Amino acid sequence: YMLCSATLLISNKYAVYKVAAPSFILFSQLMGTALVVKLFSSLGKIECDPLEKTKVKQFMPVALIFLATIFSNMKSLQYANVETFMVFRFSTPIVVSIADYLFLGRKLPSTRSWGCLFALLVGAFGYASTDSAFEVKGYTFCAVWYCIFCLDQIYLKHVTNTVKMQSNWGRVFYSNLLASLPLVFTLFNDPEEITALKNMSADAAFAVFVSVALGV
């Protein structure tokens, strides 16, 4: 997971750099994942829940929060460097651990864990104060991502505990399929992305393909 997450982050940064169309890249990743899950399910390799109206309604908020998380992630990578985003990412356990305790009834971290979390927080503030590539728009998108990501982590755990699914692949299918649909409207209503896609080179298309493959 660590390897896939790290390589996907770098791949997304490069893909957005080559093609300034984050909605298209994100749509390709989400829809690609949903189609691959459904394909393997139809081949009998994995078990995946079929689309049901009740489950669609229950998973729609999850999908929208999930979409907002990944979209703000892509925008963060478009305007900020990878190091800046990673600093924000590393400090999320502080908020998530407290929210788990308040809303899900889980235990607070141990004293040693709090020490590690505090060290992460100090490092994050230290980096931000000395960031030579500081850009307001980049930090704004990182802050938006931070808030939505923490909400996503808590709400996703709640839905996982309350909505009965046949397998985890069903959750993956629902989340990715439902989250991909609003991006169609985002993409076609952004002239800059349409222009970027029209001018996309072969190596840029390959960068998008690699990011989709890693996303799956």
Side-chain angles (χ1 to χ4, degrees):
Y1 171 80
M2 180 180 66
L3 179 61
C4 290
S5 179
T7 52
L8 179 60
L9 180 63
I10 297 173
S11 176
N12 281 344
K13 175 65 176 179
Y14 185 70
V16 172
Y17 168 73
K18 298 294 290 185
V19 186
S23 295
F24 171 75
I25 297 171
L26 184 54
F27 172 80
S28 301
Q29 291 179 350
L30 295 174
M31 183 58 73
T33 300
L35 292 176
V36 169
V37 170
K38 202 61 180 176
L39 174 62
F40 276 85
S41 175
S42 63
L43 295 174
K45 302 296 184 181
I46 59 175
E47 185 179 9
C48 177
D49 300 64
L51 283 176
E52 298 177 11
K53 186 177 181 180
T54 303
K55 291 181 180 179
V56 168
K57 289 182 179 180
Q58 293 173 318
F59 257 85
M60 186 58 73
V62 176
L64 294 178
I65 296 173
F66 178 58
L67 171 61
T69 302
I70 304 179
F71 185 76
S72 57
N73 180 357
M74 298 292 287
K75 297 298 289 186
S76 299
L77 293 174
Q78 185 176 4
Y79 294 107
N81 55 40
V82 175
E83 295 88 339
T84 300
F85 179 78
M86 290 305 296
V87 167
F88 277 85
R89 177 68 179 85
F90 290 151
S91 61
T92 54
I94 300 172
V95 176
V96 173
S97 61
I98 297 174
D100 278 347
Y101 171 75
L102 294 175
F103 301 109
L104 300 179
R106 302 190 178 186
K107 293 182 179 180
L108 286 171
S110 64
T111 304
R112 180 179 296 179
S113 297
W114 275 120
C116 294
L117 293 174
F118 180 73
L120 286 173
L121 185 62
V122 172
F125 278 110
Y127 176 86
S129 62
T130 58
D131 185 8
S132 60
F134 179 85
E135 184 177 344
V136 174
K137 185 177 288 188
Y139 270 75
T140 300
F141 276 113
C142 285
V144 170
W145 172 87
Y146 191 97
C147 296
I148 299 174
F149 178 81
C150 293
L151 173 63
D152 175 61
Q153 292 297 294
I154 301 303
Y155 190 74
L156 182 60
K157 292 175 184 176
H158 167 71
V159 172
T160 300
N161 293 333
T162 56
V163 180
K164 188 175 181 179
M165 303 290 284
Q166 296 176 9
S167 70
N168 192 52
W169 290 112
R171 298 185 182 93
V172 173
F173 174 67
Y174 271 75
S175 298
N176 283 271
L177 178 65
L178 297 177
S180 68
L181 300 180
L183 290 169
V184 176
F185 303 98
T186 305
L187 172 61
F188 287 104
N189 283 286
D190 190 335
E192 293 183 0
E193 290 208 22
I194 297 298
T195 302
L197 292 176
K198 289 180 179 179
N199 299 326
M200 184 168 54
S201 61
D203 60 330
F206 181 72
V208 174
F209 172 78
V210 171
S211 72
V212 172
L214 290 172
V216 172

